[in-house]
């Protein structure tokens, strides 16, 4: 318990005489302890990297250690000031229970983070999509996961969202199929258009040459033919392969004289009576 004085100090000198030493030690302990915690966490981070600990686990462990060290520091400072830490721990436990009930969503996110680290539906650096949001996994934190998009924006998703919704992981198999759609005039033969698209695909370095591509007739309309083109590419080039194929086909269509569908408009001309 805190040593309460029998009578209140009458001046600043009396106050510093009674409590100055404790306050000084507590202040030095706070500053020095916080500085030591930073050094220790930095050293542990380097050790985890040298031991090749999973990159998904490292920030999670460091966050837990940081919280534990800070709690220990606070208890040490309070003990230095003369506060009975046993009673303080009881208060912390009671408050923790109340806060836990009020923060059930955060606890669900924390449990979601543990599930992500245990079952590894994705890893740091993977390209994933969930609920219409797509990006590369940057870091898995205690309560959320951060994604980085192709246009260099960050998306922060609660871990509970990632464990309760379907996740598309594009990076797990390293290659993916990319689909493009082209519509041409029905005046051209299917074979001529298919050959033109094949020549265009052959000029795209992003397309994997050892994987069979598909050039399929997807739909017939009154004035056009839709072709569905499916090519294979590495995950590293997924953001650019569709644009490359579109540009190559557009250039090849010009060279081969293949045009798009034409919209015909019937014009009715009325002659007024005399």
């Amino acid at each position: 318990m805190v040593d309460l004085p029998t009578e209140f100090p009458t001046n600043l000198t009396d106050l510093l005489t009674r409590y100055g030493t404790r306050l000084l030690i507590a202040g030095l302990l706070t500053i020095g302890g916080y500085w030591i915690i930073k050094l220790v966490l930095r050293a542990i981070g380097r050790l985890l990297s040298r031991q090749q600990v999973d990159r998904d686990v490292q920030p999670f462990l460091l966050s837990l250690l940081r919280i534990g060290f800070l709690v220990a520091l606070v208890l040490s400072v309070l003990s230095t000031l003369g506060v009975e830490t046993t009673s303080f721990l009881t208060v912390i436990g009671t408050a923790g229970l109340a806060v836990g009930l009020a923060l059930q969503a955060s606890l669900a996110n924390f449990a979601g983070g543990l599930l992500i680290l245990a079952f590894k539906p994705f890893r740091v650096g993977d390209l994933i999509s969930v609920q219409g949001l797509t990006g590369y996994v940057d870091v898995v934190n205690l309560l959320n996961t951060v994604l980085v998009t192709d246009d260099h924006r960050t998306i922060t998703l609660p871990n509970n969202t990632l464990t309760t919704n379907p996740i598309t992981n594009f990076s797990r198999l390293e290659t993916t199929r990319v689909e493009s759609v082209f519509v041409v005039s029905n005046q051209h033969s299917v074979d001529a258009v298919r050959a033109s698209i094949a020549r265009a695909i052959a000029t795209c370095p992003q397309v994997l040459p050892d994987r069979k591509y598909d050039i399929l007739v997807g739909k017939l309309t009154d004035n056009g033919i839709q072709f569905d083109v499916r090519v294979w590419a590495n995950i590293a080039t997924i953001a650019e392969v569709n644009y490359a194929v579109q540009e190559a086909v557009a250039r090849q269509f010009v060279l081969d004289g293949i045009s798009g569908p034409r919209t015909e408009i019937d014009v009715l001309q009325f002659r007024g009576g005399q």
Side-chain angles (χ1 to χ4, degrees), residues 134-151:
T134 303
Y136 293 90
V137 179
D138 182 52
V139 62
V140 180
N141 293 315
L142 287 174
L143 302 179
N144 56 60
T145 296
V146 180
L147 306 182
V148 178
T149 63
D150 287 326
D151 52 358

Side-chain angles (χ1 to χ4, degrees), residues 223 262-269:
N223 58 351
R262 298 178 180 178
T263 302
E264 297 181 357
I265 302 176
D266 294 330
V267 179
L268 301 179
Q269 183 176 2

Side-chain angles (χ1 to χ4, degrees), residues 136 150 234-243:
Y136 293 90
D150 287 326
N234 288 320
I235 292 300
T237 61
I238 188 175
E240 56 188 82
V241 64
N242 182 58
Y243 298 107

Side-chain angles (χ1 to χ4, degrees), residues 22-166:
R22 288 187 177 183
L23 292 175
L24 179 60
I25 295 176
L28 293 177
L29 182 60
T30 301
I31 298 174
Y34 186 76
W35 181 73
I36 292 175
I37 288 175
K38 292 180 62 176
L39 292 180
V40 171
L41 290 177
R42 192 176 305 168
I44 293 175
R46 289 196 296 265
L47 178 62
L48 294 176
S49 298
R50 285 199 300 268
Q51 296 297 323
Q52 297 182 347
V53 176
D54 197 322
R55 289 187 301 169
D56 301 336
V57 178
Q58 291 185 26
F60 204 90
L61 288 178
L62 291 175
S63 297
L64 286 177
L65 291 174
R66 175 183 173 83
I67 293 175
F69 289 156
L70 289 177
V71 170
L73 177 61
V74 170
L75 292 178
S76 299
V77 172
L78 291 176
S79 178
T80 302
L81 291 174
V83 177
E84 182 62 42
T85 56
T86 303
S87 301
F88 188 74
L89 288 174
T90 302
V91 173
I92 290 180
T94 305
L97 178 60
V99 172
L101 293 175
L103 299 177
Q104 294 183 20
S106 297
L107 293 177
N109 289 326
F110 178 77
L114 295 178
L115 291 175
I116 291 172
L117 295 177
F119 296 101
K120 298 186 183 303
F122 54 81
R123 297 175 179 271
V124 172
D126 284 358
L127 177 63
I128 67 172
S129 178
V130 58
Q131 289 191 319
L133 302 172
T134 303
Y136 293 90
V137 179
D138 182 52
V139 62
V140 180
N141 293 315
L142 287 174
L143 302 179
N144 56 60
T145 296
V146 180
L147 306 182
V148 178
T149 63
D150 287 326
D151 52 358
H152 213 258
R153 292 181 297 169
T154 58
I155 302 174
T156 303
L157 293 173
N159 286 334
N160 189 40
T161 300
L162 295 169
T163 55
T164 57
N165 289 280

